[in-house]
Amino acid sequence: MAEPEVATKAPESNATEQSVFPNDTRAQGGASMGEHCVTDRPTPPGASPTGEISKIADIDVYITKPSDYPHSPSKLLLFLSSGTGIFSTNNQLQADQYASEGFLVVMPDQFGGDPAPNSANPNAPQEENPTVIEQVKLRAAETVQSFMLDMWLARQTQEKVLPILQKFIESAREEFADAVANGGGIYAVGYCFGGKYVLLLASELPNTVATGQKLKDEEQGVVKTGPLIKAGAIAHGTLVTKQDLEGVKSPVSMVCIENDQLFPDEIRETGRAYLEEKHIEHEIKIYSGVPHGFAVTGEYQDPKIQAEQKAAFEQMAAWLKMH
């Protein structure tokens, strides 16, 4: 049986390769996920999260609500982050944006207390002219960080992540029954790593260990469950396979990037063909001249990236509202 085609590795690159985007981080190279998936951009000046960290089903979760909730009806939105997790200020600010659009947002710790290793401080000043010794130290640190990232990613399997999400969703349905009822179900957004799992939650999944359930006896065969969300939207997904896209049943919107090595055109277009063939409502917009991870809240100097970041959020929020 052939292995699923999946975008996991950026191509090999020289350690001194620079990003094509001014004031951006080093170009992706060698790690199993792009640098933008596991490190934060500098936080926008003066921005502070408005939600709070709580627990649901013994799972840490960032919760942010519309200012007029519960006096005005809201819809429940499941927010699945990039590798930086729920304690990332930028991820919290991104969730707050959806709350300002009228959604009750819950961002669970899908990594079970094990977010991506990240030693970088996005707000730290960068050395413009490092010495040769400093450059050697930097390259050695990048090699170690790449190895740690690969080890971390190997731990983030469907068998680990999906049971966490299913347990959380089951409890969130009860905790926020009013919002679920108002929206006629649960909505979801996912960025980078989280994008893959929005697609899985929008699919019919077999009752296997991957979903935290044991197989039924052989006579009954494999029983499928789902989809668990009413509609979803993703931005620059990573680790997405053709099989992930070919399982989708719920309406989905996708923010994609031109020539994205972490979500190749071939996989994207296979998904598009499936969604069209099965008449599943979908929206795919391709953004050019932006880095992978651009849609996540964070400060960029390039006006074009700033504008596209805003456009991507508007695309995703509008999709959720119309469903």
Side-chain angles (χ1 to χ4, degrees):
M1 180 174 175
E3 291 293 323
E5 292 192 44
V6 57
T8 58
K9 279 192 176 286
E12 297 293 333
S13 63
N14 187 285
T16 60
E17 181 184 0
Q18 298 297 314
S19 170
V20 295
F21 302 102
N23 302 310
D24 197 8
T25 50
R26 183 177 64 82
Q28 300 161 0
S32 302
M33 289 177 68
E35 186 174 349
H36 294 85
C37 300
V38 294
T39 57
D40 280 331
R41 296 289 306 172
T43 299
S48 298
T50 58
E52 61 180 5
I53 298 292
S54 185
K55 278 187 180 291
I56 293 178
D58 204 34
I59 297 169
D60 285 332
V61 55
Y62 178 76
I63 303 174
T64 179
K65 306 172 182 177
S67 59
D68 55 357
Y69 179 83
H71 304 294
S72 296
S74 184
K75 297 178 180 179
L76 185 63
L77 178 64
L78 179 69
F79 185 112
L80 302 183
S81 75
S82 64
T84 50
I86 72 169
F87 294 99
S88 157
T89 298
N90 286 354
N91 288 341
Q92 293 178 358
L93 291 171
Q94 187 91 69
D96 290 347
Q97 279 191 283
Y98 287 101
S100 71
E101 295 292 327
F103 293 95
L104 195 168
V105 186
V106 289
M107 176 168 58
D109 178 12
Q110 63 205 20
F111 306 115
D114 182 24
N118 176 12
S119 58
N121 178 357
N123 296 300
Q126 301 296 314
E127 183 67 46
E128 292 185 3
N129 299 296
T131 65
V132 173
I133 294 178
E134 288 171 336
Q135 291 181 43
V136 171
K137 289 181 178 179
L138 178 61
R139 293 174 189 175
E142 289 173 345
T143 299
V144 172
Q145 186 175 12
S146 178
F147 174 76
M148 292 176 62
L149 177 58
D150 284 341
M151 294 297 290
W152 170 81
L153 189 58
R155 298 193 296 271
Q156 312 311 317
T157 63
Q158 289 186 36
E159 289 80 4
K160 172 188 174 180
V161 176
L162 280 173
I164 292 174
L165 293 178
Q166 291 209 348
K167 178 182 178 183
F168 178 83
I169 289 172
E170 183 178 343
S171 295
R173 285 184 184 278
E174 298 180 6
E175 182 83 11
F176 303 109
D178 59 329
V180 175
N182 182 61
I186 297 176
Y187 297 79
V189 292
Y191 291 81
C192 298
F193 184 97
K196 175 185 180 74
Y197 287 89
V198 168
L199 294 176
L200 291 175
L201 294 177
S203 304
E204 288 184 340
L205 298 174
N207 287 354
T208 64
V209 176
T211 61
Q213 302 179 44
K214 294 183 179 180
L215 280 170
K216 304 294 182 181
D217 60 64
E218 293 184 2
E219 291 184 1
Q220 291 179 308
V222 176
V223 178
K224 292 189 175 182
T225 182
L228 297 180
I229 60 173
K230 182 177 180 181
I234 72 170
H236 35 70
T238 55
L239 310 176
V240 175
T241 68
K242 292 179 179 179
Q243 289 85 344
D244 294 338
L245 288 162
E246 290 173 347
V248 169
K249 303 296 181 185
S250 299
V252 292
S253 174
M254 290 188 275
V255 169
C256 299
I257 300 169
E258 186 178 40
N259 300 321
D260 187 356
Q261 295 167 334
L262 299 178
F263 192 170
D265 294 355
E266 181 186 1
I267 291 178
R268 183 190 70 228
E269 293 309 310
T270 296
R272 187 200 299 270
Y274 163 81
L275 295 169
E276 291 177 351
E277 177 187 350
K278 299 298 182 181
H279 304 291
I280 295 170
E281 191 178 0
H282 64 283
E283 172 186 61
I284 299 175
K285 292 187 179 180
I286 301 172
Y287 293 73
S288 63
V290 294
H292 186 96
F294 84 98
V296 178
T297 294
E299 188 177 19
Y300 286 95
Q301 299 300 318
D302 188 333
K304 174 178 173 56
I305 300 179
Q306 294 174 1
E308 298 290 55
Q309 187 182 69
K310 179 181 178 182
F313 173 75
E314 292 174 347
Q315 172 189 332
M316 297 169 76
W319 181 263
L320 297 171
K321 287 181 178 180
M322 69 183 288
H323 291 86

